[in-house]
Amino acid sequence: MGHWICCLCSRVADPLMLLLVLALGCNPSSAATSSPSVPHVKPSYSFGRTFLGLDKCNACIGTSICKKFFKEEIRFDTWLSSHLKLPPNSLLSYSGNYTDDAKSWRLVDITRLTSKYQHDRADKRICTSLLKTRSCSLERALRRTQRFQKWLRAKRLTPDLVQGLPSPMLRCPSQRLLDRIVRRYAEVPDAGSIHMDHLTDRDKLRLLYTLAVNSHPILLQIFPDVEGWPFPRYLGSCGRLVVSASTRPLRDFFGAAAEVAADLALQLLAVLRSMATNDLNYFFYFTRVDAGTFGVFSNGHLFIRDASTLGIIDKEEGSQLMDGQQEYKDIFSCLTVDCQSEFVSCDSISEKHSLVMVCQDLLPKLLARKFVSPVQERIDAFLQRCARGLGEHQGSNEAMEELAEILKPLRSCDSRFAYRYPDCRYSDKY
């Protein structure tokens, strides 16, 4: 048919007929070709600014990893289905996949610092408390506060700028710790300076907002895993979502085999020991622990999965805020917690504090009914004594060593424990 039309094009003399034929699409060069096929359209993952929390910036965590989301180099597990739908935005955490080369993928955790419900309540509280309206520009409202105006004028992050913030990390702040926060804040280009000159107004608001909501991502940044700290790697933030290396919560291992439970319990003791005694002379303590506080990597290595309940006492400098000063409260003090909540006194934290909490809430669930008699009886007796506070005659180090001596012979050396295999075959340490 196309060939016939083109032949007619070359012979027709009537101008009107020629126009009619041209309207039919006469093109001699394409006469022998088939009609063009519809180009293949790559499925597109549609992000809403609301899902990521970008619509709330700069009252958000950061934007350092947003490009990864939009380039589809970070994918939620649900994206692997044919529907390509984003998961519900009401969840607190998501399992995802991350790539640097579009070929190899690794698992990551994508989390919110608090639930979307709590975020929405906090946003509403900002508007109603500061501007007396139900909705507003969060950034404009927070910029007007007395605290943020002090941050804008400050050259250095000092204890008075963080007093009253609800983060356990900041209840007993030292200047050395605050300098470390500024120097290692990963959402800005690294300046290696303790002064805040390299932080824009936007950067200062994001840092203040993160510290006021949940200090978990800040702890991951200032105490990175590559330096040996027991935290998952911080990969970046986008809006109100944080991306970090993936771990399975400890609750998934409460029913594990005896040798796995013994190995995890020994690792947990080692983490507590390193948190109390380390080269930087910081004393870390938990204000609360639960089955999701600790996590386990695919190689069997145990880490602190949720650092939001960690407090820090500087054994080198001490706290530079007296407990009375911490009674100062403003809108940043109660974005996600009750404004009437009381601070824990820095002087009330003992070295046994975290160990006792772990003995009460985690180790019994991990080690219960796993071992033969009389080993199980020895473990149960220790946990009961530890949960009651150990008594005055025994310190935390001695107590941990006592339990470790019971558990060490119960470990095995095989490929299930990739983080120490095959080294365990050639080392007396294991």
Side-chain angles (χ1 to χ4, degrees):
M1 179 67 178
H3 178 71
W4 178 84
I5 293 176
C6 288
C7 291
L8 182 61
C9 280
S10 60
R11 295 178 184 178
V12 68
D14 189 337
L16 291 176
M17 182 62 73
L18 178 60
L19 290 173
L20 176 62
V21 173
L22 290 174
L24 292 173
C26 176
N27 185 350
S29 63
S30 64
T33 63
S34 60
S35 60
S37 60
V38 177
H40 175 70
V41 179
K42 183 180 179 182
S44 176
Y45 305 111
S46 176
F47 268 114
R49 291 171 59 82
T50 302
F51 181 87
L52 294 171
L54 283 172
D55 59 325
K56 304 299 177 63
C57 282
N58 292 307
C60 63
I61 311 165
T63 56
S64 61
I65 210 167
C66 287
K67 287 183 179 179
K68 285 279 187 183
F69 279 105
F70 291 114
K71 290 168 65 177
E72 299 170 21
E73 292 176 348
I74 296 178
R75 298 185 176 190
F76 294 88
D77 276 352
T78 53
W79 285 5
L80 303 180
S81 69
S82 59
H83 298 91
L84 304 176
K85 292 182 179 179
L86 290 172
N89 62 5
S90 59
L91 300 179
L92 189 60
S93 63
Y94 311 87
S95 179
N97 299 273
Y98 175 101
T99 186
D100 288 317
D101 55 15
K103 297 178 182 178
S104 58
W105 294 80
R106 52 193 167 112
L107 290 175
V108 293
D109 289 332
I110 305 169
T111 57
R112 302 182 189 277
L113 296 190
T114 186
S115 69
K116 188 175 185 302
Y117 170 74
Q118 288 177 302
H119 267 311
D120 291 343
R121 281 189 62 193
D123 295 344
K124 190 174 297 184
R125 186 181 295 128
I126 292 170
C127 293
T128 55
S129 298
L130 301 178
L131 298 182
K132 311 303 180 185
T133 60
R134 297 188 64 180
S135 62
C136 67
S137 166
L138 299 177
E139 178 176 0
R140 189 177 302 118
L142 293 176
R143 286 178 67 93
R144 293 180 180 180
T145 61
Q146 181 180 2
R147 186 191 294 266
F148 187 66
Q149 289 300 312
K150 290 177 65 176
W151 273 61
L152 289 179
R153 297 189 296 269
K155 295 295 184 181
R156 192 175 181 183
L157 187 60
T158 51
D160 63 296
L161 295 178
V162 299
Q163 64 176 316
L165 293 183
S167 168
M169 182 181 72
L170 300 173
R171 289 180 183 173
C172 314
S174 70
Q175 188 59 58
R176 186 169 69 114
L177 176 63
L178 298 180
D179 288 343
R180 189 176 183 87
I181 292 174
V182 173
R183 195 171 62 248
R184 294 185 167 220
Y185 182 42
E187 287 298 311
V188 299
D190 182 16
S193 172
I194 62 174
H195 298 287
M196 295 199 290
D197 298 336
H198 63 294
L199 270 62
T200 64
D201 294 358
R202 175 200 64 193
D203 298 329
K204 289 181 178 180
L205 181 56
R206 291 178 180 178
L207 176 57
L208 173 56
Y209 180 84
T210 306
L211 291 173
V213 174
N214 188 325
S215 59
H216 170 77
I218 303 300
L219 272 159
L220 270 55
Q221 295 168 43
I222 66 177
F223 298 108
D225 68 307
V226 294
E227 295 180 3
W229 297 96
F231 301 110
R233 180 165 301 180
Y234 176 80
L235 298 172
S237 300
C238 184
R240 289 180 169 178
L241 292 180
V242 179
V243 183
S244 59
S246 177
T247 59
R248 289 177 60 191
L250 187 61
R251 69 171 66 90
D252 291 357
F253 296 86
F254 285 164
E259 56 270 24
V260 174
D263 182 82
L264 292 175
L266 282 166
Q267 288 193 71
L268 204 159
L269 294 177
V271 168
L272 294 183
R273 196 176 294 115
S274 69
M275 294 287 91
T277 306
N278 51 74
D279 292 341
L280 293 185
N281 239 358
Y282 288 115
F283 172 65
F284 296 77
Y285 65 92
F286 287 100
T287 57
R288 176 178 52 81
V289 296
D290 57 36
T293 301
F294 295 90
V296 183
F297 284 128
S298 58
N299 65 356
H301 208 168
L302 181 138
F303 276 63
I304 296 174
R305 189 171 191 255
D306 179 5
S308 64
T309 63
L310 271 179
I312 303 178
I313 295 175
D314 192 335
K315 294 195 290 185
E316 191 171 299
E317 286 190 2
S319 172
Q320 296 188 17
L321 275 184
M322 299 300 292
D323 288 333
Q325 291 178 279
Q326 293 182 332
E327 294 175 1
Y328 172 85
K329 290 188 175 72
D330 63 357
I331 188 64
F332 290 99
S333 305
C334 51
L335 289 182
T336 57
V337 297
D338 182 3
C339 287
Q340 305 304 316
S341 59
E342 295 296 325
F343 288 106
V344 176
S345 170
C346 301
D347 297 331
S348 67
I349 308 299
S350 69
E351 290 187 355
K352 302 176 185 179
H353 183 85
S354 296
L355 176 61
V356 170
M357 295 178 71
V358 167
C359 286
Q360 291 172 341
D361 300 319
L362 295 183
L363 288 179
K365 299 174 184 175
L366 184 63
L367 300 175
R369 298 183 297 279
K370 291 287 174 63
F371 309 98
V372 297
S373 181
V375 173
Q376 187 68 58
E377 284 79 1
R378 292 179 62 194
I379 292 174
D380 292 344
F382 172 86
L383 294 180
Q384 290 172 11
R385 179 161 45 89
C386 177
R388 292 194 297 265
L390 292 170
E392 297 181 1
H393 68 285
Q394 189 175 31
S396 59
N397 287 333
E398 294 84 354
M400 286 189 281
E401 187 58 34
E402 178 185 342
L403 180 58
E405 288 304 314
I406 301 174
L407 296 173
K408 283 177 183 178
L410 306 176
R411 289 189 301 181
S412 64
C413 180
D414 58 63
S415 57
R416 287 177 299 172
F417 310 101
Y419 79 95
R420 59 180 174 87
Y421 181 85
D423 294 352
C424 54
R425 289 190 176 276
Y426 311 104
S427 173
D428 294 336
K429 178 181 177 183
Y430 299 104

